[in-house]
Amino acid sequence: MATGRTHRLPTRSRGIPEATVARLPLYLRALTALSERSVPTVSSEELAAAAGVNSAKLRKDFSYLGSYGTRGVGYDVEYLVYQISRELGLTQDWPVVIVGIGNLGAALANYGGFASRGFRVAALIDADPAMAGKPVAGIAVQHTDELESIISDNGVSIGVIATPAGAAQQVCERLVAAGVTSILNFAPTVLSVPDGVDVRKVDLSIELQILAFHEQRKAGEEAAQDAAQAGATAPAPARPGRVLPDPAARPTTAGATTGPAPAAATAPVTSADVRDNQGPDGDVPAVMPA
Amino acid sequence: MATGRTHRLPTRSRGIPEATVARLPLYLRALTALSERSVPTVSSEELAAAAGVNSAKLRKDFSYLGSYGTRGVGYDVEYLVYQISRELGLTQDWPVVIVGIGNLGAALANYGGFASRGFRVAALIDADPAMAGKPVAGIAVQHTDELESIISDNGVSIGVIATPAGAAQQVCERLVAAGVTSILNFAPTVLSVPDGVDVRKVDLSIELQILAFHEQRKAGEEAAQDAAQAGATAPAPARPGRVLPDPAARPTTAGATTGPAPAAATAPVTSADVRDNQGPDGDVPAVMPA
DNA sequence: ATGCCTTTGTGAACGCGTGCACAAAGATGG
DNA sequence: CCATCTTTGTGCACGCGTTCACAAAGGCAT
Ligand SMILES: NC(=O)c1ccc[n+]([C@@H]2O[C@H](COP(=O)([O-])OP(=O)(O)OC[C@H]3O[C@@H](n4cnc5c(N)ncnc54)[C@H](O)[C@@H]3O)[C@@H](O)[C@H]2O)c1
Ligand SMILES: NC(=O)c1ccc[n+]([C@@H]2O[C@H](COP(=O)([O-])OP(=O)(O)OC[C@H]3O[C@@H](n4cnc5c(N)ncnc54)[C@H](O)[C@@H]3O)[C@@H](O)[C@H]2O)c1
């Protein structure tokens, strides 16, 4: 019990809206670029264009941090870089562990963008004994057995999960138990964590599916628009299309054509059942233990 | 002109809210897991728990797709899988190209989650001549020169960018010019695209920075809460902390201590200037061509 | 010193997303 | 066939986020 429920109650940080926090890194990046070009000041209009947002939004975002601009001039680049860095907590060093050093984990370990912003890869952890000791990106991979001590010894509070989906929840629990309070999850799974632990997920499949939705919509509108009468021959190169068979027209309760057992036969799934299940994604066959 | 401006006007798809679209893949994943376990039906409460959302939200989401549930029973798993798949456009096959086969690009190419949901890696493209012909994940890498023909020949409409930040905008423009209308960008850059092209970005640095913000907030609260009088010795292991020097107290216009040139000296950055600049992230020194 | 011109900071309006709470629908048992 | 019980579908209210628009602030030229 008490493990689940991502009960996001008014987690009102203090003043800074979540949406603003999510944009600060964007501003910081644009500002850093300006800083490297020795640009002394920048207006909200210019910076907003660089960050790809509305200038009023940017000004309001900055207003939450205080009044750092000069009317008639703009914002001092260096000063703003510092203020945002401080607000985001980047003025200190954050040791990070990556768990699951496979294709993705190794790529992450090799990623230079970590160190450039105050994040330091403190350890690489994998369950495969064959991986132990092998250097990846100049760091020796350590075995999962040492997870707890690594986290404790290095004061790690941020963990990255890049294991298969089936292992993610378990790894997550170990991380949290060891003291990690922020997790970046790459596995296609919904993680259950106690209150006070932040989880952010990066999910390639979801992003692609969202794109596919809009892509289909565009194609549909286009087709519906200029050819409600023409055949299915679209002007654009025809997309190779496998089409799923309709599994059955609206299942009308009492088993019609398709015959899903009379309801009670095939385990009517309990709440606990579902809660535990961390849906796989084609990654692993994943028959979760009850 | 007309290249920039991510002018997201009321892009009202038709009826389905964007927030709902973003959750559909989540539901689909949970439903697929249930389907594999041969669970015939599921209630909104159960499915919501599995997907980590509020049950009312889930029901409202489904209501946009139509009335697919049965009161007193729940939703037919197979039927719902089909309906959501159809809505997301996953009943057809989407050929995808990955541009930039480095650490990340190779990991993506090896990712099994692609094929499992109707996405097919049609080609891997890299600018490095040494990469050409080399097989990655069973597919021969092709040179950037062939980008246009590959996209055209395969009817590719979705492109994944995994190049360094400095090359992303250029690659993006070539993809769009060749017919790609959806882009998933892994490079830490704001991409400018014409109207009608969707861009989604996955940015590791941003995610980590957001986590760091909350992490800092937690640490701050904790410290302020139980030890406004006690020393800085927190119960948790002390975090190693490098602290950035304050670059200068509030720059009071007329150069105070720090001496940023008198404003006009170091190129007061024009709008066009900023718009073109695609801020680097520590990936590449990135001196963008003016 | 004074007025002009640029740009910030923010009040206010609006729209979207979320979650509560409940009436209606339909299955199920007698 | 009717009563009961479960669960959907949604009306409604609320809060967050976005955007407009403008007064105030401050630099700069004269
Ligand atoms: N490769 C990608 O581009 C990509 C993209 C999106 C999501 N993902 C997700 O990221 C995860 C990793 O993907 P991958 O391609 O690197 O897979 P992979 O199989 O190459 O690597 C997984 C690694 O995790 C290790 N591992 C397994 N169980 C573990 C445990 N309990 N503790 C510690 N380590 C454990 C394995 O030994 C292996 O080294 C998967 O969940 C995948 O769905 C990958
Ligand atoms: N590695 C990660 O975990 C990670 C994480 C987040 C973001 N990113 C971003 O993803 C991108 C790629 O990262 P990486 O670690 O794979 O880098 P990498 O240097 O290993 O790979 C980049 C690849 O892109 C190719 N390339 C360069 N210019 C090109 C062009 N114009 N057209 C086609 N291909 C081109 C290079 O030949 C190289 O193979 C970077 O922008 C990086 O910031 C990487």
Side-chain angles (χ1 to χ4, degrees):
Chain A
M1 68 185 75
T3 318
R5 283 283 178 270
T6 318
H7 216 16
R8 203 174 294 95
L9 52 157
T11 318
R12 232 325 174 263
S13 318
R14 187 213 29 232
I16 305 182
E18 191 56 32
T20 295
V21 172
R23 280 188 295 268
L24 290 181
L26 227 49
Y27 302 145
L28 182 57
R29 181 174 293 160
L31 285 165
T32 303
L34 293 175
S35 172
E36 282 169 7
R37 293 172 54 201
S38 301
V39 175
T41 61
V42 63
S43 71
S44 64
E45 202 70 47
E46 295 163 339
L47 187 55
V53 302
N54 181 296
S55 68
K57 194 189 294 186
L58 178 142
R59 286 198 299 277
K60 182 149 288 188
D61 283 343
F62 285 173
S63 77
Y64 293 117
L65 310 184
S67 292
Y68 295 148
T70 305
R71 291 164 192 242
V73 177
Y75 299 89
D76 181 272
V77 172
E78 295 298 333
Y79 188 66
L80 205 45
V81 163
Y82 173 72
Q83 289 301 338
I84 294 178
S85 293
R86 191 175 52 79
E87 199 65 53
L88 285 173
L90 305 181
T91 49
Q92 61 183 285
D93 212 61
W94 295 101
V96 172
V97 296
I98 302 176
V99 185
I101 314 302
N103 288 309
L104 183 61
L108 295 176
N110 278 300
Y111 180 46
F114 265 112
S116 69
R117 289 261 176 286
F119 299 96
R120 180 171 49 82
V121 179
L124 305 178
I125 303 175
D126 200 289
D128 186 353
M131 293 285 298
K134 285 177 58 175
V136 172
I139 303 176
V141 174
Q142 293 177 274
H143 191 264
T144 324
D145 290 346
E146 305 182 59
L147 188 146
E148 284 77 11
S149 62
I150 292 169
I151 290 175
S152 173
D153 293 351
N154 294 80
V156 174
S157 54
I158 301 178
V160 176
I161 297 178
T163 66
Q169 178 64 43
Q170 193 192 344
V171 166
C172 172
E173 283 163 15
R174 285 184 66 181
L175 287 173
V176 170
V180 166
T181 48
S182 285
I183 291 176
L184 182 53
N185 180 33
F186 284 86
T189 313
V190 177
L191 292 180
S192 287
V193 294
D195 287 351
V197 176
D198 285 303
V199 175
R200 295 192 67 87
K201 70 168 191 291
V202 172
D203 198 315
L204 175 62
S205 295
I206 289 182
E207 299 301 325
L208 283 175
Q209 286 172 46
I210 294 172
L211 285 177
F213 171 84
H214 292 297
E215 202 58 42
Q216 186 186 42
R217 189 174 53 75
K218 284 183 232 168
E221 273 175 6
E222 172 190 305
Q225 198 169 35
D226 61 16
Q229 73 294 347
T233 351
R239 310 231 177 279
R242 137 187 84 86
V243 177
L244 292 182
D246 192 321
R250 196 67 198 292
T252 45
T253 304
T257 29
T258 340
T266 32
V269 75
T270 71
S271 297
D273 236 358
V274 175
R275 198 180 312 275
D276 282 353
N277 184 302
Q278 299 300 344
D281 186 39
D283 259 43
V284 279
V287 180
M288 303 298 288
Chain B
M1 61 171 80
T3 318
R5 283 285 179 271
T6 318
H7 216 19
R8 201 174 297 93
L9 52 156
T11 319
R12 229 335 173 254
S13 320
R14 187 213 26 233
I16 305 182
E18 191 57 32
T20 295
V21 173
R23 281 189 294 268
L24 290 181
L26 227 49
Y27 302 145
L28 182 56
R29 181 173 294 159
L31 285 164
T32 303
L34 292 174
S35 172
E36 283 168 6
R37 294 172 54 200
S38 302
V39 175
T41 61
V42 63
S43 71
S44 63
E45 201 70 46
E46 294 162 340
L47 185 55
V53 301
N54 182 296
S55 68
K57 193 189 295 184
L58 178 143
R59 287 197 298 276
K60 184 152 290 185
D61 283 343
F62 286 173
S63 77
Y64 293 117
L65 310 184
S67 293
Y68 295 148
T70 306
R71 293 166 190 239
V73 176
Y75 299 89
D76 181 273
V77 172
E78 295 299 332
Y79 188 66
L80 204 44
V81 163
Y82 173 73
Q83 290 300 339
I84 295 178
S85 294
R86 191 175 53 79
E87 198 65 51
L88 286 173
L90 305 180
T91 50
Q92 60 183 288
D93 211 60
W94 295 101
V96 172
V97 295
I98 302 176
V99 185
I101 313 303
N103 288 308
L104 183 61
L108 294 175
N110 277 298
Y111 181 47
F114 267 111
S116 69
R117 290 260 175 286
F119 299 97
R120 180 171 49 81
V121 179
L124 305 179
I125 303 175
D126 200 288
D128 186 354
M131 294 284 300
K134 285 177 59 175
V136 171
I139 303 177
V141 174
Q142 292 176 275
H143 192 263
T144 324
D145 290 345
E146 307 181 59
L147 188 146
E148 284 77 11
S149 63
I150 292 169
I151 290 175
S152 173
D153 293 351
N154 295 81
V156 174
S157 53
I158 300 179
V160 176
I161 297 180
T163 66
Q169 179 63 43
Q170 193 191 347
V171 167
C172 172
E173 284 163 14
R174 286 184 65 181
L175 286 173
V176 170
V180 165
T181 47
S182 286
I183 290 175
L184 182 53
N185 180 33
F186 284 86
T189 313
V190 177
L191 293 180
S192 286
V193 294
D195 286 353
V197 176
D198 284 303
V199 175
R200 295 192 67 86
K201 70 167 190 291
V202 172
D203 197 315
L204 176 61
S205 295
I206 288 183
E207 298 301 325
L208 283 176
Q209 287 173 44
I210 294 172
L211 285 177
F213 171 84
H214 293 296
E215 202 59 40
Q216 186 185 42
R217 190 175 54 75
K218 284 184 230 166
E221 274 176 5
E222 172 190 305
Q225 199 169 36
D226 62 15
Q229 72 297 344
T233 350
R239 311 230 175 278
R242 138 185 83 85
V243 176
L244 291 183
D246 192 320
R250 193 69 198 291
T252 46
T253 303
T257 30
T258 339
T266 31
V269 75
T270 71
S271 297
D273 236 357
V274 175
R275 200 181 312 277
D276 282 353
N277 186 302
Q278 298 301 343
D281 186 39
D283 258 44
V284 279
V287 181
M288 303 297 290

Coordinates of all heavy atoms in Angstrom, one line a residue, chain A residues 55-84:
Chain A
S55 N 6.7 36.6 -26.4 CA 7.5 37.5 -25.6 C 6.8 37.9 -24.3 O 7.4 38.0 -23.3 CB 7.8 38.7 -26.4 OG 6.7 39.5 -26.6
A56 N 5.5 38.0 -24.3 CA 4.8 38.3 -23.1 C 4.9 37.1 -22.1 O 5.1 37.4 -20.9 CB 3.3 38.5 -23.4
K57 N 4.9 36.0 -22.6 CA 5.0 34.8 -21.8 C 6.4 34.8 -21.1 O 6.5 34.5 -19.9 CB 4.8 33.5 -22.6 CG 4.7 32.3 -21.8 CD 4.7 31.0 -22.7 CE 3.6 31.0 -23.6 NZ 3.5 29.7 -24.4
L58 N 7.4 35.1 -21.9 CA 8.7 35.2 -21.4 C 8.9 36.2 -20.3 O 9.4 36.0 -19.2 CB 9.7 35.5 -22.6 CG 11.2 35.6 -22.2 CD1 12.1 35.0 -23.3 CD2 11.6 37.1 -22.0
R59 N 8.3 37.4 -20.5 CA 8.4 38.4 -19.5 C 7.7 38.0 -18.3 O 8.2 38.2 -17.1 CB 7.8 39.7 -20.1 CG 8.7 40.4 -21.1 CD 8.3 41.9 -21.3 NE 6.9 42.1 -21.7 CZ 6.5 42.0 -23.0 NH1 7.4 41.8 -23.9 NH2 5.3 42.2 -23.4
K60 N 6.6 37.4 -18.4 CA 5.8 37.0 -17.2 C 6.6 35.9 -16.5 O 6.7 35.9 -15.3 CB 4.4 36.5 -17.6 CG 3.6 36.0 -16.4 CD 2.1 36.3 -16.6 CE 1.8 37.7 -16.5 NZ 0.3 38.0 -16.5
D61 N 7.2 35.0 -17.3 CA 8.1 34.0 -16.6 C 9.2 34.6 -15.8 O 9.4 34.2 -14.6 CB 8.7 33.1 -17.7 CG 7.7 32.1 -18.3 OD1 6.6 31.8 -17.7 OD2 8.0 31.5 -19.4
F62 N 9.8 35.6 -16.4 CA 10.9 36.2 -15.7 C 10.4 37.0 -14.5 O 11.1 37.2 -13.5 CB 11.7 37.1 -16.6 CG 12.6 36.4 -17.6 CD1 13.3 37.1 -18.6 CD2 12.8 35.0 -17.5 CE1 14.1 36.4 -19.5 CE2 13.6 34.3 -18.4 CZ 14.2 35.0 -19.4
S63 N 9.2 37.5 -14.6 CA 8.7 38.3 -13.5 C 8.5 37.4 -12.2 O 8.6 37.9 -11.1 CB 7.3 38.9 -13.9 OG 6.3 37.9 -13.8
Y64 N 8.4 36.1 -12.4 CA 8.3 35.2 -11.2 C 9.6 35.1 -10.5 O 9.7 34.8 -9.3 CB 7.8 33.8 -11.6 CG 6.4 33.8 -12.1 CD1 6.1 33.4 -13.5 CD2 5.3 34.1 -11.3 CE1 4.8 33.3 -13.9 CE2 4.0 34.1 -11.8 CZ 3.8 33.7 -13.1 OH 2.5 33.7 -13.6
L65 N 10.7 35.4 -11.3 CA 12.0 35.3 -10.7 C 12.4 36.6 -10.0 O 13.4 36.7 -9.3 CB 13.1 34.9 -11.7 CG 12.8 33.7 -12.6 CD1 14.0 33.5 -13.5 CD2 12.5 32.5 -11.8
G66 N 11.7 37.6 -10.4 CA 12.0 39.0 -9.9 C 12.1 39.9 -11.1 O 11.9 39.5 -12.2
S67 N 12.5 41.1 -10.8 CA 12.6 42.1 -11.9 C 14.1 42.3 -12.3 O 14.8 43.1 -11.7 CB 12.0 43.5 -11.4 OG 10.7 43.4 -11.2
Y68 N 14.4 41.5 -13.3 CA 15.8 41.5 -13.7 C 16.1 42.3 -15.0 O 17.2 42.3 -15.5 CB 16.3 40.1 -13.9 CG 16.3 39.3 -12.6 CD1 16.1 37.9 -12.6 CD2 16.6 39.9 -11.4 CE1 16.1 37.2 -11.4 CE2 16.6 39.2 -10.2 CZ 16.3 37.9 -10.2 OH 16.4 37.1 -9.0
G69 N 15.0 42.9 -15.5 CA 15.2 43.6 -16.8 C 15.4 45.1 -16.6 O 15.1 45.6 -15.5
T70 N 15.8 45.8 -17.6 CA 15.8 47.2 -17.6 C 15.0 47.8 -18.7 O 15.2 47.5 -19.9 CB 17.3 47.7 -17.8 OG1 18.1 47.1 -16.8 CG2 17.4 49.2 -17.6
R71 N 14.0 48.6 -18.3 CA 13.0 49.1 -19.3 C 13.7 49.9 -20.3 O 14.6 50.8 -20.0 CB 12.0 49.9 -18.6 CG 11.1 49.0 -17.7 CD 10.2 49.8 -16.7 NE 9.6 48.9 -15.8 CZ 8.3 48.8 -15.6 NH1 7.5 49.5 -16.4 NH2 7.8 48.0 -14.7
G72 N 13.4 49.7 -21.5 CA 14.0 50.5 -22.6 C 15.2 49.8 -23.1 O 15.7 50.2 -24.2
V73 N 15.8 48.8 -22.4 CA 17.0 48.2 -22.8 C 16.8 46.7 -23.0 O 17.1 46.2 -24.1 CB 18.1 48.4 -21.7 CG1 19.4 47.6 -22.1 CG2 18.4 49.9 -21.6
G74 N 16.4 46.0 -22.0 CA 16.2 44.6 -22.1 C 16.8 43.9 -20.8 O 16.9 44.5 -19.8
Y75 N 17.3 42.7 -21.0 CA 17.9 41.9 -19.9 C 19.4 41.8 -20.1 O 19.9 41.6 -21.2 CB 17.2 40.6 -19.8 CG 15.8 40.6 -19.6 CD1 14.9 40.6 -20.7 CD2 15.3 40.6 -18.3 CE1 13.5 40.7 -20.4 CE2 13.9 40.6 -18.1 CZ 13.0 40.7 -19.1 OH 11.7 40.7 -18.9
D76 N 20.1 41.8 -19.0 CA 21.5 41.6 -19.0 C 21.8 40.1 -19.1 O 21.3 39.3 -18.3 CB 22.2 42.1 -17.7 CG 23.7 41.9 -17.7 OD1 24.1 40.9 -17.3 OD2 24.4 42.9 -18.2
V77 N 22.4 39.7 -20.2 CA 22.5 38.3 -20.5 C 23.2 37.5 -19.4 O 22.7 36.5 -18.9 CB 23.3 38.1 -21.9 CG1 23.6 36.6 -22.1 CG2 22.4 38.6 -23.0
E78 N 24.4 38.0 -19.0 CA 25.2 37.2 -18.0 C 24.4 37.1 -16.7 O 24.4 36.1 -16.1 CB 26.5 37.9 -17.8 CG 27.5 38.0 -18.9 CD 27.9 36.5 -19.4 OE1 27.9 35.6 -18.5 OE2 28.1 36.4 -20.6
Y79 N 23.8 38.2 -16.3 CA 23.1 38.2 -15.1 C 22.0 37.3 -15.1 O 21.7 36.5 -14.1 CB 22.6 39.6 -14.8 CG 22.1 39.8 -13.4 CD1 22.9 39.7 -12.3 CD2 20.7 40.1 -13.2 CE1 22.3 39.8 -11.0 CE2 20.2 40.2 -11.9 CZ 21.0 40.1 -10.8 OH 20.5 40.3 -9.6
L80 N 21.2 37.3 -16.2 CA 20.1 36.4 -16.3 C 20.5 34.9 -16.3 O 19.9 34.0 -15.8 CB 19.3 36.7 -17.6 CG 17.8 36.4 -17.7 CD1 17.1 36.8 -16.4 CD2 17.2 37.1 -18.8
V81 N 21.6 34.6 -17.0 CA 22.1 33.3 -17.0 C 22.4 32.8 -15.6 O 22.0 31.7 -15.2 CB 23.5 33.2 -17.8 CG1 24.2 31.9 -17.5 CG2 23.2 33.3 -19.3
Y82 N 23.0 33.7 -14.8 CA 23.2 33.3 -13.4 C 22.0 33.1 -12.6 O 21.8 32.1 -11.9 CB 24.1 34.4 -12.8 CG 24.3 34.1 -11.3 CD1 25.1 33.1 -10.8 CD2 23.6 34.9 -10.4 CE1 25.2 32.8 -9.5 CE2 23.7 34.6 -9.0 CZ 24.5 33.6 -8.6 OH 24.7 33.3 -7.3
Q83 N 21.0 34.0 -12.8 CA 19.8 34.0 -12.0 C 19.0 32.7 -12.3 O 18.5 32.0 -11.5 CB 18.9 35.2 -12.3 CG 19.5 36.5 -11.7 CD 19.6 36.4 -10.1 OE1 19.0 35.6 -9.5 NE2 20.5 37.2 -9.6
I84 N 18.9 32.4 -13.6 CA 18.2 31.2 -14.0 C 18.9 29.9 -13.5 O 18.3 29.0 -13.0 CB 17.9 31.1 -15.5 CG1 17.0 32.3 -15.9 CG2 17.3 29.8 -15.9 CD1 16.8 32.4 -17.4

